[in-house]
Each structure stands twice: as structure tokens, then as C-alpha cells.
Amino acid sequence: DVAFDRLKIEQAIRRCCAECLQDVSVDLIIEELMRNIYDGIPTKDLERALILAAVALMERDPAYDVLAA
């Protein structure tokens, strides 16, 4: 198993949210994501967990839709 790299995940989120970064909180996304991931999580499941984290935050602000897409 390979441990996930939080910094890489954060950088990927920032790239995805480049246009709406002022409207979303990367920290909130990561906080929500951390509830659903574990060391050794397959990339496919990590991507799915990231989408679900963004969907969960869409209720706060529709800007999270950009990441969920």
C-alpha cells in the first residue's frame, strides 16, 4: 500500500479550482475528503471521494460544483 500525499491532493484541488479559488475553501474540501479516505486507497476511489466531498459542500456554495464536475 502507498500512503496518499496530502500536498499532492491539495495541489490538484487548487488546479481544479483555479477559476473559483476565491469562492471555495481548499481546507474545507480536504477536511471533508479526509473523512472518506485512508492510506492505500486506490486512485479511482480517491477521485470518487473527492467528488463526493465537493458535492457535500455544494449546499454551502454552488462554486464547489466546479470541482465536482
Side-chain angles (χ1 to χ4, degrees), residues 22-54:
Q22 66 276 6
D23 297 325
V24 300
S25 169
V26 174
D27 291 334
L28 275 178
I29 295 167
I30 291 175
E31 182 180 314
E32 186 66 30
L33 177 66
M34 296 301 287
R35 294 179 188 168
N36 300 306
I37 62 174
Y38 51 90
D39 280 345
I41 187 171
T43 301
K44 179 178 76 172
D45 292 343
L46 180 59
E47 292 169 352
R48 186 174 300 132
L50 181 54
I51 291 167
L52 292 174

PDB file of all heavy atoms in Angstrom, residues 22-54:
ATOM      1  N   GLN A  22     -11.266  31.816  -5.007  1.00  0.00           N
ATOM      2  CA  GLN A  22     -11.697  32.798  -4.014  1.00  0.00           C
ATOM      3  C   GLN A  22     -13.073  32.445  -3.437  1.00  0.00           C
ATOM      4  O   GLN A  22     -13.429  32.928  -2.374  1.00  0.00           O
ATOM      5  CB  GLN A  22     -11.709  34.218  -4.602  1.00  0.00           C
ATOM      6  CG  GLN A  22     -12.730  34.445  -5.693  1.00  0.00           C
ATOM      7  CD  GLN A  22     -12.262  34.009  -7.078  1.00  0.00           C
ATOM      8  OE1 GLN A  22     -11.203  33.423  -7.244  1.00  0.00           O
ATOM      9  NE2 GLN A  22     -13.046  34.305  -8.086  1.00  0.00           N
ATOM     10  N   ASP A  23     -13.810  31.575  -4.121  1.00  0.00           N
ATOM     11  CA  ASP A  23     -15.153  31.213  -3.670  1.00  0.00           C
ATOM     12  C   ASP A  23     -15.221  29.893  -2.909  1.00  0.00           C
ATOM     13  O   ASP A  23     -16.260  29.566  -2.337  1.00  0.00           O
ATOM     14  CB  ASP A  23     -16.108  31.124  -4.867  1.00  0.00           C
ATOM     15  CG  ASP A  23     -16.262  32.452  -5.578  1.00  0.00           C
ATOM     16  OD1 ASP A  23     -16.234  33.500  -4.902  1.00  0.00           O
ATOM     17  OD2 ASP A  23     -16.402  32.449  -6.814  1.00  0.00           O
ATOM     18  N   VAL A  24     -14.151  29.111  -2.946  1.00  0.00           N
ATOM     19  CA  VAL A  24     -14.154  27.817  -2.272  1.00  0.00           C
ATOM     20  C   VAL A  24     -13.012  27.745  -1.264  1.00  0.00           C
ATOM     21  O   VAL A  24     -12.037  28.470  -1.361  1.00  0.00           O
ATOM     22  CB  VAL A  24     -14.036  26.640  -3.274  1.00  0.00           C
ATOM     23  CG1 VAL A  24     -15.187  26.639  -4.253  1.00  0.00           C
ATOM     24  CG2 VAL A  24     -12.704  26.656  -3.996  1.00  0.00           C
ATOM     25  N   SER A  25     -13.152  26.857  -0.315  1.00  0.00           N
ATOM     26  CA  SER A  25     -12.121  26.654   0.695  1.00  0.00           C
ATOM     27  C   SER A  25     -11.457  25.295   0.464  1.00  0.00           C
ATOM     28  O   SER A  25     -12.103  24.252   0.628  1.00  0.00           O
ATOM     29  CB  SER A  25     -12.725  26.698   2.093  1.00  0.00           C
ATOM     30  OG  SER A  25     -11.776  26.245   3.035  1.00  0.00           O
ATOM     31  N   VAL A  26     -10.210  25.332   0.058  1.00  0.00           N
ATOM     32  CA  VAL A  26      -9.465  24.087  -0.142  1.00  0.00           C
ATOM     33  C   VAL A  26      -9.407  23.309   1.169  1.00  0.00           C
ATOM     34  O   VAL A  26      -9.538  22.089   1.182  1.00  0.00           O
ATOM     35  CB  VAL A  26      -8.053  24.382  -0.698  1.00  0.00           C
ATOM     36  CG1 VAL A  26      -7.224  23.108  -0.763  1.00  0.00           C
ATOM     37  CG2 VAL A  26      -8.142  25.028  -2.079  1.00  0.00           C
ATOM     38  N   ASP A  27      -9.253  24.018   2.279  1.00  0.00           N
ATOM     39  CA  ASP A  27      -9.205  23.351   3.591  1.00  0.00           C
ATOM     40  C   ASP A  27     -10.498  22.602   3.893  1.00  0.00           C
ATOM     41  O   ASP A  27     -10.465  21.481   4.421  1.00  0.00           O
ATOM     42  CB  ASP A  27      -8.907  24.358   4.700  1.00  0.00           C
ATOM     43  CG  ASP A  27      -7.483  24.896   4.630  1.00  0.00           C
ATOM     44  OD1 ASP A  27      -6.598  24.190   4.095  1.00  0.00           O
ATOM     45  OD2 ASP A  27      -7.256  26.010   5.108  1.00  0.00           O
ATOM     46  N   LEU A  28     -11.636  23.206   3.558  1.00  0.00           N
ATOM     47  CA  LEU A  28     -12.916  22.518   3.785  1.00  0.00           C
ATOM     48  C   LEU A  28     -13.038  21.282   2.910  1.00  0.00           C
ATOM     49  O   LEU A  28     -13.544  20.246   3.351  1.00  0.00           O
ATOM     50  CB  LEU A  28     -14.089  23.458   3.490  1.00  0.00           C
ATOM     51  CG  LEU A  28     -14.532  24.370   4.605  1.00  0.00           C
ATOM     52  CD1 LEU A  28     -15.675  25.276   4.126  1.00  0.00           C
ATOM     53  CD2 LEU A  28     -14.975  23.584   5.815  1.00  0.00           C
ATOM     54  N   ILE A  29     -12.591  21.396   1.672  1.00  0.00           N
ATOM     55  CA  ILE A  29     -12.648  20.253   0.762  1.00  0.00           C
ATOM     56  C   ILE A  29     -11.784  19.124   1.309  1.00  0.00           C
ATOM     57  O   ILE A  29     -12.220  17.968   1.366  1.00  0.00           O
ATOM     58  CB  ILE A  29     -12.184  20.651  -0.650  1.00  0.00           C
ATOM     59  CG1 ILE A  29     -13.148  21.678  -1.256  1.00  0.00           C
ATOM     60  CG2 ILE A  29     -12.083  19.420  -1.552  1.00  0.00           C
ATOM     61  CD1 ILE A  29     -12.619  22.372  -2.496  1.00  0.00           C
ATOM     62  N   ILE A  30     -10.577  19.441   1.733  1.00  0.00           N
ATOM     63  CA  ILE A  30      -9.677  18.420   2.265  1.00  0.00           C
ATOM     64  C   ILE A  30     -10.239  17.829   3.551  1.00  0.00           C
ATOM     65  O   ILE A  30     -10.183  16.614   3.767  1.00  0.00           O
ATOM     66  CB  ILE A  30      -8.259  18.986   2.477  1.00  0.00           C
ATOM     67  CG1 ILE A  30      -7.628  19.263   1.108  1.00  0.00           C
ATOM     68  CG2 ILE A  30      -7.406  18.041   3.294  1.00  0.00           C
ATOM     69  CD1 ILE A  30      -6.277  19.925   1.163  1.00  0.00           C
ATOM     70  N   GLU A  31     -10.806  18.670   4.394  1.00  0.00           N
ATOM     71  CA  GLU A  31     -11.410  18.178   5.643  1.00  0.00           C
ATOM     72  C   GLU A  31     -12.514  17.167   5.340  1.00  0.00           C
ATOM     73  O   GLU A  31     -12.587  16.104   5.961  1.00  0.00           O
ATOM     74  CB  GLU A  31     -11.973  19.361   6.428  1.00  0.00           C
ATOM     75  CG  GLU A  31     -12.570  19.012   7.756  1.00  0.00           C
ATOM     76  CD  GLU A  31     -13.107  20.241   8.462  1.00  0.00           C
ATOM     77  OE1 GLU A  31     -12.401  21.269   8.508  1.00  0.00           O
ATOM     78  OE2 GLU A  31     -14.251  20.169   8.962  1.00  0.00           O
ATOM     79  N   GLU A  32     -13.363  17.496   4.382  1.00  0.00           N
ATOM     80  CA  GLU A  32     -14.445  16.587   4.002  1.00  0.00           C
ATOM     81  C   GLU A  32     -13.872  15.320   3.361  1.00  0.00           C
ATOM     82  O   GLU A  32     -14.329  14.206   3.624  1.00  0.00           O
ATOM     83  CB  GLU A  32     -15.399  17.293   3.036  1.00  0.00           C
ATOM     84  CG  GLU A  32     -16.623  16.511   2.678  1.00  0.00           C
ATOM     85  CD  GLU A  32     -17.576  16.280   3.837  1.00  0.00           C
ATOM     86  OE1 GLU A  32     -17.647  17.117   4.758  1.00  0.00           O
ATOM     87  OE2 GLU A  32     -18.271  15.247   3.820  1.00  0.00           O
ATOM     88  N   LEU A  33     -12.863  15.489   2.533  1.00  0.00           N
ATOM     89  CA  LEU A  33     -12.230  14.359   1.867  1.00  0.00           C
ATOM     90  C   LEU A  33     -11.598  13.403   2.869  1.00  0.00           C
ATOM     91  O   LEU A  33     -11.723  12.181   2.739  1.00  0.00           O
ATOM     92  CB  LEU A  33     -11.159  14.876   0.889  1.00  0.00           C
ATOM     93  CG  LEU A  33     -10.336  13.828   0.146  1.00  0.00           C
ATOM     94  CD1 LEU A  33     -11.222  13.036  -0.808  1.00  0.00           C
ATOM     95  CD2 LEU A  33      -9.201  14.494  -0.603  1.00  0.00           C
ATOM     96  N   MET A  34     -10.946  13.938   3.890  1.00  0.00           N
ATOM     97  CA  MET A  34     -10.233  13.121   4.865  1.00  0.00           C
ATOM     98  C   MET A  34     -11.166  12.186   5.633  1.00  0.00           C
ATOM     99  O   MET A  34     -10.731  11.157   6.142  1.00  0.00           O
ATOM    100  CB  MET A  34      -9.470  14.008   5.858  1.00  0.00           C
ATOM    101  CG  MET A  34      -8.375  14.837   5.220  1.00  0.00           C
ATOM    102  SD  MET A  34      -7.117  13.877   4.383  1.00  0.00           S
ATOM    103  CE  MET A  34      -6.262  13.209   5.792  1.00  0.00           C
ATOM    104  N   ARG A  35     -12.431  12.511   5.667  1.00  0.00           N
ATOM    105  CA  ARG A  35     -13.403  11.651   6.361  1.00  0.00           C
ATOM    106  C   ARG A  35     -13.638  10.341   5.612  1.00  0.00           C
ATOM    107  O   ARG A  35     -14.147   9.382   6.195  1.00  0.00           O
ATOM    108  CB  ARG A  35     -14.737  12.376   6.511  1.00  0.00           C
ATOM    109  CG  ARG A  35     -14.667  13.560   7.402  1.00  0.00           C
ATOM    110  CD  ARG A  35     -15.991  14.253   7.492  1.00  0.00           C
ATOM    111  NE  ARG A  35     -15.803  15.498   8.225  1.00  0.00           N
ATOM    112  CZ  ARG A  35     -16.689  16.453   8.293  1.00  0.00           C
ATOM    113  NH1 ARG A  35     -17.842  16.320   7.665  1.00  0.00           N
ATOM    114  NH2 ARG A  35     -16.440  17.532   8.976  1.00  0.00           N
ATOM    115  N   ASN A  36     -13.294  10.339   4.327  1.00  0.00           N
ATOM    116  CA  ASN A  36     -13.658   9.199   3.481  1.00  0.00           C
ATOM    117  C   ASN A  36     -12.480   8.484   2.844  1.00  0.00           C
ATOM    118  O   ASN A  36     -12.694   7.619   1.989  1.00  0.00           O
ATOM    119  CB  ASN A  36     -14.604   9.676   2.374  1.00  0.00           C
ATOM    120  CG  ASN A  36     -15.872  10.265   2.937  1.00  0.00           C
ATOM    121  OD1 ASN A  36     -16.546   9.628   3.720  1.00  0.00           O
ATOM    122  ND2 ASN A  36     -16.184  11.486   2.556  1.00  0.00           N
ATOM    123  N   ILE A  37     -11.257   8.833   3.231  1.00  0.00           N
ATOM    124  CA  ILE A  37     -10.115   8.173   2.610  1.00  0.00           C
ATOM    125  C   ILE A  37      -9.217   7.549   3.671  1.00  0.00           C
ATOM    126  O   ILE A  37      -9.355   7.820   4.860  1.00  0.00           O
ATOM    127  CB  ILE A  37      -9.312   9.136   1.711  1.00  0.00           C
ATOM    128  CG1 ILE A  37      -8.712  10.296   2.500  1.00  0.00           C
ATOM    129  CG2 ILE A  37     -10.175   9.651   0.571  1.00  0.00           C
ATOM    130  CD1 ILE A  37      -7.791  11.181   1.684  1.00  0.00           C
ATOM    131  N   TYR A  38      -8.292   6.741   3.207  1.00  0.00           N
ATOM    132  CA  TYR A  38      -7.387   6.010   4.088  1.00  0.00           C
ATOM    133  C   TYR A  38      -6.098   5.734   3.325  1.00  0.00           C
ATOM    134  O   TYR A  38      -6.073   5.764   2.095  1.00  0.00           O
ATOM    135  CB  TYR A  38      -8.033   4.692   4.534  1.00  0.00           C
ATOM    136  CG  TYR A  38      -8.569   3.886   3.360  1.00  0.00           C
ATOM    137  CD1 TYR A  38      -7.761   2.963   2.706  1.00  0.00           C
ATOM    138  CD2 TYR A  38      -9.859   4.083   2.900  1.00  0.00           C
ATOM    139  CE1 TYR A  38      -8.232   2.244   1.622  1.00  0.00           C
ATOM    140  CE2 TYR A  38     -10.346   3.365   1.810  1.00  0.00           C
ATOM    141  CZ  TYR A  38      -9.527   2.449   1.174  1.00  0.00           C
ATOM    142  OH  TYR A  38      -9.996   1.750   0.099  1.00  0.00           O
ATOM    143  N   ASP A  39      -5.018   5.483   4.047  1.00  0.00           N
ATOM    144  CA  ASP A  39      -3.753   5.122   3.397  1.00  0.00           C
ATOM    145  C   ASP A  39      -3.975   3.882   2.542  1.00  0.00           C
ATOM    146  O   ASP A  39      -4.628   2.926   2.965  1.00  0.00           O
ATOM    147  CB  ASP A  39      -2.667   4.837   4.440  1.00  0.00           C
ATOM    148  CG  ASP A  39      -2.038   6.098   4.992  1.00  0.00           C
ATOM    149  OD1 ASP A  39      -2.224   7.174   4.385  1.00  0.00           O
ATOM    150  OD2 ASP A  39      -1.357   6.017   6.028  1.00  0.00           O
ATOM    151  N   GLY A  40      -3.448   3.924   1.352  1.00  0.00           N
ATOM    152  CA  GLY A  40      -3.573   2.790   0.449  1.00  0.00           C
ATOM    153  C   GLY A  40      -4.821   2.826  -0.409  1.00  0.00           C
ATOM    154  O   GLY A  40      -5.060   1.899  -1.183  1.00  0.00           O
ATOM    155  N   ILE A  41      -5.623   3.881  -0.298  1.00  0.00           N
ATOM    156  CA  ILE A  41      -6.846   3.986  -1.090  1.00  0.00           C
ATOM    157  C   ILE A  41      -6.488   4.004  -2.573  1.00  0.00           C
ATOM    158  O   ILE A  41      -5.563   4.706  -2.980  1.00  0.00           O
ATOM    159  CB  ILE A  41      -7.672   5.238  -0.693  1.00  0.00           C
ATOM    160  CG1 ILE A  41      -9.029   5.256  -1.394  1.00  0.00           C
ATOM    161  CG2 ILE A  41      -6.909   6.515  -0.980  1.00  0.00           C
ATOM    162  CD1 ILE A  41      -9.973   6.341  -0.892  1.00  0.00           C
ATOM    163  N   PRO A  42      -7.177   3.215  -3.387  1.00  0.00           N
ATOM    164  CA  PRO A  42      -6.908   3.240  -4.825  1.00  0.00           C
ATOM    165  C   PRO A  42      -7.239   4.616  -5.416  1.00  0.00           C
ATOM    166  O   PRO A  42      -8.146   5.304  -4.938  1.00  0.00           O
ATOM    167  CB  PRO A  42      -7.847   2.172  -5.391  1.00  0.00           C
ATOM    168  CG  PRO A  42      -8.215   1.310  -4.229  1.00  0.00           C
ATOM    169  CD  PRO A  42      -8.165   2.200  -3.023  1.00  0.00           C
ATOM    170  N   THR A  43      -6.507   4.992  -6.441  1.00  0.00           N
ATOM    171  CA  THR A  43      -6.703   6.303  -7.073  1.00  0.00           C
ATOM    172  C   THR A  43      -8.150   6.502  -7.493  1.00  0.00           C
ATOM    173  O   THR A  43      -8.721   7.570  -7.291  1.00  0.00           O
ATOM    174  CB  THR A  43      -5.770   6.456  -8.290  1.00  0.00           C
ATOM    175  OG1 THR A  43      -4.421   6.305  -7.843  1.00  0.00           O
ATOM    176  CG2 THR A  43      -5.941   7.811  -8.946  1.00  0.00           C
ATOM    177  N   LYS A  44      -8.754   5.469  -8.054  1.00  0.00           N
ATOM    178  CA  LYS A  44     -10.144   5.567  -8.504  1.00  0.00           C
ATOM    179  C   LYS A  44     -11.067   5.936  -7.338  1.00  0.00           C
ATOM    180  O   LYS A  44     -11.951   6.784  -7.468  1.00  0.00           O
ATOM    181  CB  LYS A  44     -10.577   4.244  -9.134  1.00  0.00           C
ATOM    182  CG  LYS A  44     -12.005   4.200  -9.625  1.00  0.00           C
ATOM    183  CD  LYS A  44     -12.331   2.875 -10.266  1.00  0.00           C
ATOM    184  CE  LYS A  44     -12.514   1.848  -9.168  1.00  0.00           C
ATOM    185  NZ  LYS A  44     -13.016   0.554  -9.621  1.00  0.00           N
ATOM    186  N   ASP A  45     -10.852   5.325  -6.190  1.00  0.00           N
ATOM    187  CA  ASP A  45     -11.676   5.606  -5.015  1.00  0.00           C
ATOM    188  C   ASP A  45     -11.374   6.980  -4.435  1.00  0.00           C
ATOM    189  O   ASP A  45     -12.263   7.653  -3.916  1.00  0.00           O
ATOM    190  CB  ASP A  45     -11.483   4.533  -3.955  1.00  0.00           C
ATOM    191  CG  ASP A  45     -12.035   3.178  -4.393  1.00  0.00           C
ATOM    192  OD1 ASP A  45     -12.829   3.132  -5.347  1.00  0.00           O
ATOM    193  OD2 ASP A  45     -11.651   2.164  -3.776  1.00  0.00           O
ATOM    194  N   LEU A  46     -10.115   7.400  -4.523  1.00  0.00           N
ATOM    195  CA  LEU A  46      -9.739   8.728  -4.062  1.00  0.00           C
ATOM    196  C   LEU A  46     -10.433   9.795  -4.910  1.00  0.00           C
ATOM    197  O   LEU A  46     -10.968  10.767  -4.382  1.00  0.00           O
ATOM    198  CB  LEU A  46      -8.218   8.908  -4.125  1.00  0.00           C
ATOM    199  CG  LEU A  46      -7.670  10.250  -3.682  1.00  0.00           C
ATOM    200  CD1 LEU A  46      -8.041  10.548  -2.239  1.00  0.00           C
ATOM    201  CD2 LEU A  46      -6.165  10.274  -3.855  1.00  0.00           C
ATOM    202  N   GLU A  47     -10.450   9.592  -6.214  1.00  0.00           N
ATOM    203  CA  GLU A  47     -11.139  10.535  -7.101  1.00  0.00           C
ATOM    204  C   GLU A  47     -12.627  10.595  -6.774  1.00  0.00           C
ATOM    205  O   GLU A  47     -13.215  11.673  -6.719  1.00  0.00           O
ATOM    206  CB  GLU A  47     -10.924  10.138  -8.561  1.00  0.00           C
ATOM    207  CG  GLU A  47      -9.497  10.319  -9.022  1.00  0.00           C
ATOM    208  CD  GLU A  47      -9.209   9.693 -10.368  1.00  0.00           C
ATOM    209  OE1 GLU A  47     -10.085   8.972 -10.912  1.00  0.00           O
ATOM    210  OE2 GLU A  47      -8.100   9.908 -10.874  1.00  0.00           O
ATOM    211  N   ARG A  48     -13.224   9.455  -6.548  1.00  0.00           N
ATOM    212  CA  ARG A  48     -14.649   9.395  -6.208  1.00  0.00           C
ATOM    213  C   ARG A  48     -14.913  10.110  -4.880  1.00  0.00           C
ATOM    214  O   ARG A  48     -15.880  10.860  -4.738  1.00  0.00           O
ATOM    215  CB  ARG A  48     -15.105   7.938  -6.125  1.00  0.00           C
ATOM    216  CG  ARG A  48     -16.602   7.801  -5.915  1.00  0.00           C
ATOM    217  CD  ARG A  48     -17.055   6.351  -5.984  1.00  0.00           C
ATOM    218  NE  ARG A  48     -16.726   5.783  -7.286  1.00  0.00           N
ATOM    219  CZ  ARG A  48     -16.118   4.609  -7.464  1.00  0.00           C
ATOM    220  NH1 ARG A  48     -15.793   3.867  -6.433  1.00  0.00           N
ATOM    221  NH2 ARG A  48     -15.865   4.161  -8.668  1.00  0.00           N
ATOM    222  N   ALA A  49     -14.036   9.907  -3.895  1.00  0.00           N
ATOM    223  CA  ALA A  49     -14.182  10.557  -2.592  1.00  0.00           C
ATOM    224  C   ALA A  49     -14.053  12.072  -2.717  1.00  0.00           C
ATOM    225  O   ALA A  49     -14.758  12.822  -2.036  1.00  0.00           O
ATOM    226  CB  ALA A  49     -13.152  10.010  -1.609  1.00  0.00           C
ATOM    227  N   LEU A  50     -13.176  12.520  -3.597  1.00  0.00           N
ATOM    228  CA  LEU A  50     -13.010  13.957  -3.819  1.00  0.00           C
ATOM    229  C   LEU A  50     -14.273  14.558  -4.432  1.00  0.00           C
ATOM    230  O   LEU A  50     -14.730  15.623  -4.020  1.00  0.00           O
ATOM    231  CB  LEU A  50     -11.805  14.215  -4.713  1.00  0.00           C
ATOM    232  CG  LEU A  50     -11.484  15.664  -5.014  1.00  0.00           C
ATOM    233  CD1 LEU A  50     -11.339  16.482  -3.743  1.00  0.00           C
ATOM    234  CD2 LEU A  50     -10.228  15.754  -5.856  1.00  0.00           C
ATOM    235  N   ILE A  51     -14.849  13.875  -5.385  1.00  0.00           N
ATOM    236  CA  ILE A  51     -16.095  14.351  -5.992  1.00  0.00           C
ATOM    237  C   ILE A  51     -17.200  14.410  -4.951  1.00  0.00           C
ATOM    238  O   ILE A  51     -17.936  15.397  -4.857  1.00  0.00           O
ATOM    239  CB  ILE A  51     -16.498  13.443  -7.180  1.00  0.00           C
ATOM    240  CG1 ILE A  51     -15.502  13.626  -8.329  1.00  0.00           C
ATOM    241  CG2 ILE A  51     -17.928  13.754  -7.640  1.00  0.00           C
ATOM    242  CD1 ILE A  51     -15.621  12.579  -9.416  1.00  0.00           C
ATOM    243  N   LEU A  52     -17.305  13.375  -4.129  1.00  0.00           N
ATOM    244  CA  LEU A  52     -18.337  13.359  -3.090  1.00  0.00           C
ATOM    245  C   LEU A  52     -18.123  14.466  -2.065  1.00  0.00           C
ATOM    246  O   LEU A  52     -19.090  15.049  -1.564  1.00  0.00           O
ATOM    247  CB  LEU A  52     -18.381  11.990  -2.410  1.00  0.00           C
ATOM    248  CG  LEU A  52     -18.870  10.843  -3.295  1.00  0.00           C
ATOM    249  CD1 LEU A  52     -18.729   9.514  -2.565  1.00  0.00           C
ATOM    250  CD2 LEU A  52     -20.298  11.069  -3.744  1.00  0.00           C
ATOM    251  N   ALA A  53     -16.874  14.774  -1.768  1.00  0.00           N
ATOM    252  CA  ALA A  53     -16.575  15.867  -0.837  1.00  0.00           C
ATOM    253  C   ALA A  53     -17.055  17.190  -1.424  1.00  0.00           C
ATOM    254  O   ALA A  53     -17.665  18.007  -0.726  1.00  0.00           O
ATOM    255  CB  ALA A  53     -15.078  15.928  -0.543  1.00  0.00           C
ATOM    256  N   ALA A  54     -16.797  17.400  -2.703  1.00  0.00           N
ATOM    257  CA  ALA A  54     -17.236  18.636  -3.352  1.00  0.00           C
ATOM    258  C   ALA A  54     -18.760  18.710  -3.412  1.00  0.00           C
ATOM    259  O   ALA A  54     -19.347  19.770  -3.162  1.00  0.00           O
ATOM    260  CB  ALA A  54     -16.645  18.736  -4.752  1.00  0.00           C
TER     261      ALA A  54
END
